[in-house]
Amino acid sequence: MENNRFVALVGAGYWGKNLLRVLYELKVLHTVCEIDERIVAERMRKFPDVYYTSSYEEVLNNREIKAVVIATPAATHYEKAKQALLANKDVFVEKPLVLNLEEGKELIEISKYKDLILMVGHIFHYHPAIIKLKQIIKDGGLGKIQYIYSNQLNIGKFRTEENVLWSFAPHDISIILMLLEEEPFRVGAFGLAALNKDIFDVTITTLEFKSGIKAHIFVSWLHPFKERKLVVVGSKAMAVFNDVSDEKLVIYPHRIEWKNGKIPVAHKAECYTVEVEPLEPLKEEMKHFIECVLERKRPRTDGEEGLRVLKILKSCEDALREGKVIEIKGQIFESGSFFVHPSSYIDENVKIGEGTKIWYFSHILQNTIIGRNCIIGQNVMIGPDVVIGDGCKIQNNVSVYKGVTLEDGVFCGPSCVFTNVITPRAFIERKHEFKPTRVKQGATIGANATIMCGVTIGRYSFIGAGAVVTSDVPDYALFLGVPARHSGWVCKCGVVLTRKTKSEKREELVCANCGSKYILDGEKFIVLEEKI
């Protein structure tokens, strides 16, 4: 961007003053928008060469401002973020993203539609000690993770528009999801509202995960001293992150041994401090946002990350209000780096690989596994108990039923049909008659084609649009018509092969597109040389 100062800060109060300093030091701050004249006067004394305004409309109408950082009260996040996105500004919102799930989904939808950056202020993702802890866990340094607890305690700042759960716990939830790469399936919570009726000042939240890991989060703004601590207990060692200590990350390699196979005995070991880079998390967070704006990269803590945390916060709030454990419906994610459109629904016990995108109005049923870098189009149903390989593309209006397996790189054209029973009747239960169907690596199924259950579609084969397949399809075969008949051979790149030479029993086939060569020896198809 020609003008390096392209970021506007909206809100320069309690936390906004820190963002103001960092954005100023990074030399990207264009404007500060703040309605409180007292706060403006204080900030101007320290940053006199910054332009200040009380008009958010002025910020939105300024073409030099490409990105907005919002640090206003949580109740205003939705409206201000929405206005900025509609004004074609990239947006950073301090946590929580919003206070309502539907509002969060709407912001994500707008940002996706307009191809804009939406990033949430989950600052601990950028803390060098937390990043180091994540790597230690990933490398197996703590062994099998068994338990996590997190304390975020202080005296003040008290709020009236949100309780301490919404004010403090987003950070803790975000860190735990980051470390475990797993969402809880059950939460519980209880708390105390001492200062204002129905505004909880203290909450304790419990999280249970399908992997067997349990966690609890203790947050309070009614506490005699400040504490920001996270403890991770593993089978080989324990880690303590203490943000108010000079020693940010300490490992305790204690061991538990079983005496006579029955009695656990603790063997304490000397703790040691893990060295971490002396980087300021807030500055690292803002540098990442600026990088995403300039290079059009997806943020580590994007809108989907904010929505995941929001979903869990809402369940914790429900548990707090209702005084009971809440079961959470939703996906178990492997890396947190896939996309599910807010209009789609993911059942329990679904695994979705990194880089996969699931678009509008789709439904992924329980116990389904979807590989990496897949594209699932609009109005697609998959499952239950279906396995989809890596790199598959399933176009609009396709249902992949139980019994169907797609290997890597399969293409399913719009409205193609899989069946799982040969002779279905509405009034006869025939689930026991389901027949498995396998579509092998790299195969293409054209639009509106029908695949009868119980068949195997061969590797890199090609089913023409509208064809009805009733028998097995050989590797590299082209099938056309109703019922589908073997009509030729196709290259790995998808182009129909032509004859180059022919003898009495053997003929050489060559691809006019990529030059790959194959041999047809009677009915045996042989790969001679593939160039892709």
Side-chain angles (χ1 to χ4, degrees):
M1 294 183 182
E2 294 180 4
N3 183 359
N4 289 332
R5 300 184 184 277
F6 57 87
V7 179
L9 172 65
V10 184
Y14 177 72
W15 185 250
K17 67 179 184 292
N18 300 314
L19 287 160
L20 194 164
R21 172 186 57 80
V22 167
L23 293 169
Y24 183 85
E25 291 172 356
L26 293 173
K27 297 180 171 53
V28 295
L29 185 60
H30 184 288
T31 297
V32 174
C33 181
E34 174 57 63
I35 61 173
D36 190 319
E37 294 180 359
R38 178 187 56 81
I39 291 176
V40 171
E42 289 179 6
R43 305 296 175 256
M44 286 185 71
R45 282 195 291 272
K46 194 167 184 179
F47 304 98
D49 55 338
V50 173
Y51 177 70
Y52 295 84
T53 181
S54 60
S55 171
Y56 190 44
E57 186 176 354
E58 181 184 340
V59 170
L60 298 179
N61 291 332
N62 191 321
R63 292 187 178 181
E64 292 183 355
I65 296 172
K66 307 299 181 183
V68 172
V69 173
I70 298 172
T72 55
T76 68
H77 286 182
Y78 164 69
E79 194 59 43
K80 293 198 178 299
K82 181 179 179 180
Q83 288 176 314
L85 290 169
L86 292 176
N88 295 312
K89 313 288 188 190
D90 294 316
V91 174
F92 173 94
V93 189
E94 265 304 335
K95 58 80 192 167
L97 173 61
V98 287
L99 298 177
N100 178 287
L101 272 174
E102 295 306 314
E103 291 175 351
K105 291 177 182 178
E106 184 182 354
L107 293 183
I108 292 170
E109 200 163 346
I110 294 170
S111 69
K112 293 287 182 185
Y113 177 76
K114 297 178 78 69
D115 196 25
L116 292 167
I117 304 296
L118 177 61
M119 179 169 161
V120 187
H122 292 163
I123 190 171
F124 287 96
H125 279 249
Y126 308 92
H127 197 300
I130 294 294
I131 294 171
K132 188 70 174 179
L133 176 57
K134 166 76 173 175
Q135 189 60 50
I136 291 171
I137 292 172
K138 188 174 182 180
D139 292 343
L142 303 184
K144 184 180 185 298
I145 304 305
Q146 297 169 331
Y147 182 65
I148 297 180
Y149 78 80
S150 179
N151 292 352
Q152 190 171 176
L153 315 168
N154 208 349
I155 182 70
K157 176 185 177 185
F158 306 117
R159 302 180 187 272
T160 56
E161 75 278 1
E162 60 181 350
N163 61 38
V164 73
L165 177 72
W166 286 84
S167 184
F168 284 12
H171 285 317
D172 304 85
I173 293 170
S174 180
I175 293 170
I176 291 170
L177 296 188
M178 172 195 177
L179 295 179
L180 298 184
E181 297 183 350
E182 183 182 3
E183 292 183 19
F185 74 96
R186 183 183 294 133
V187 300
F190 65 92
L192 169 70
L195 303 179
N196 291 288
K197 184 180 180 182
D198 295 329
I199 305 291
F200 288 94
D201 307 298
V202 181
T203 66
I204 296 177
T205 303
T206 60
L207 311 173
E208 296 182 54
F209 297 85
K210 293 282 187 181
S211 61
I213 299 170
K214 295 189 178 182
H216 85 248
I217 298 169
F218 175 26
V219 292
S220 172
W221 56 36
L222 197 60
H223 198 267
F225 56 86
K226 183 175 182 179
E227 181 174 305
R228 164 73 269 187
K229 187 179 291 185
L230 177 89
V231 176
V232 183
V233 177
S235 60
K236 291 166 56 177
M238 305 172 187
V240 178
F241 164 69
N242 189 344
D243 200 30
V244 299
S245 169
D246 292 334
E247 298 180 335
K248 300 293 184 188
L249 183 58
V250 179
I251 304 298
Y252 293 80
H254 302 325
R255 293 181 298 109
I256 309 297
E257 292 185 356
W258 293 84
K259 188 176 181 180
N260 300 323
K262 296 180 180 180
I263 303 172
V265 179
H267 291 271
K268 294 184 178 181
E270 287 294 321
C271 66
Y272 60 90
T273 301
V274 178
E275 289 190 15
V276 296
E277 293 184 90
L279 302 173
E280 182 187 0
L282 182 59
K283 184 168 284 187
E284 293 304 301
E285 182 178 48
M286 284 297 99
K287 284 165 67 176
H288 181 67
F289 176 59
I290 294 162
E291 181 184 359
C292 290
V293 171
L294 294 176
E295 299 181 14
R296 311 315 296 167
K297 292 169 57 177
R298 181 177 178 176
R300 272 183 268 163
T301 52
D302 60 3
E304 284 79 22
E305 151 73 9
L307 195 66
R308 278 193 289 272
V309 172
L310 195 65
K311 180 181 72 174
I312 295 165
L313 271 172
K314 175 63 169 61
S315 297
C316 294
E317 175 81 10
D318 291 343
L320 196 60
R321 300 290 179 188
E322 298 174 23
K324 65 180 183 181
V325 171
I326 300 293
E327 301 276 346
I328 301 177
K329 304 277 186 188
Q331 69 269 17
I332 299 172
F333 63 88
E334 294 182 353
S335 68
S337 58
F338 61 83
F339 168 72
V340 178
H341 190 271
S343 65
S344 291
Y345 189 81
I346 312 298
D347 282 359
E348 292 181 344
N349 298 326
V350 168
K351 291 187 177 181
I352 302 172
E354 181 178 357
T356 287
K357 294 180 173 62
I358 299 175
W359 292 101
Y360 303 84
F361 310 116
S362 292
H363 185 185
I364 314 301
L365 281 73
Q366 63 184 0
N367 302 321
T368 290
I369 299 173
I370 299 177
R372 295 169 295 177
N373 301 314
C374 294
I375 296 176
I376 310 300
Q378 180 174 308
N379 195 35
V380 172
M381 190 203 80
I382 303 175
D385 306 306
V386 165
V387 176
I388 306 291
D390 296 340
C392 292
K393 292 185 179 180
I394 303 177
Q395 303 290 74
N396 299 349
N397 306 313
V398 176
S399 294
V400 185
Y401 300 112
K402 181 174 183 177
V404 176
T405 298
L406 306 185
E407 295 184 1
D408 295 347
V410 169
F411 178 89
C412 296
S415 302
C416 73
V417 177
F418 292 97
T419 67
N420 51 18
V421 172
I422 296 292
T423 55
R425 291 290 194 193
F427 50 87
I428 300 175
E429 179 66 64
R430 284 193 165 131
K431 289 183 178 179
H432 63 285
E433 297 180 11
F434 283 3
K435 293 182 179 294
T437 299
R438 178 172 289 272
V439 184
K440 291 191 172 182
Q441 180 178 358
T444 292
I445 300 173
N448 297 299
T450 298
I451 310 299
M452 297 298 290
C453 60
V455 304
T456 296
I457 308 296
R459 295 171 62 249
Y460 304 111
S461 61
F462 201 107
I463 310 302
V468 178
V469 177
T470 59
S471 60
D472 290 347
V473 176
D475 295 349
Y476 296 89
L478 172 66
F479 267 52
L480 304 173
V482 181
R485 292 180 174 84
H486 192 174
S487 304
W489 301 95
V490 292
C491 176
K492 184 178 180 180
C493 75
V495 172
V496 176
L497 295 169
T498 55
R499 292 179 182 175
K500 184 178 181 182
T501 60
K502 183 178 181 181
S503 63
E504 187 174 334
K505 291 185 178 181
R506 291 166 59 94
E507 56 183 311
E508 184 178 336
L509 306 176
V510 65
C511 177
N513 178 58
C514 69
S516 295
K517 297 177 181 179
Y518 305 87
I519 295 291
L520 186 61
D521 187 356
E523 295 183 358
K524 188 177 181 181
F525 187 87
I526 303 168
V527 177
L528 187 63
E529 179 187 11
E530 287 186 328
K531 297 187 176 181
I532 62 166

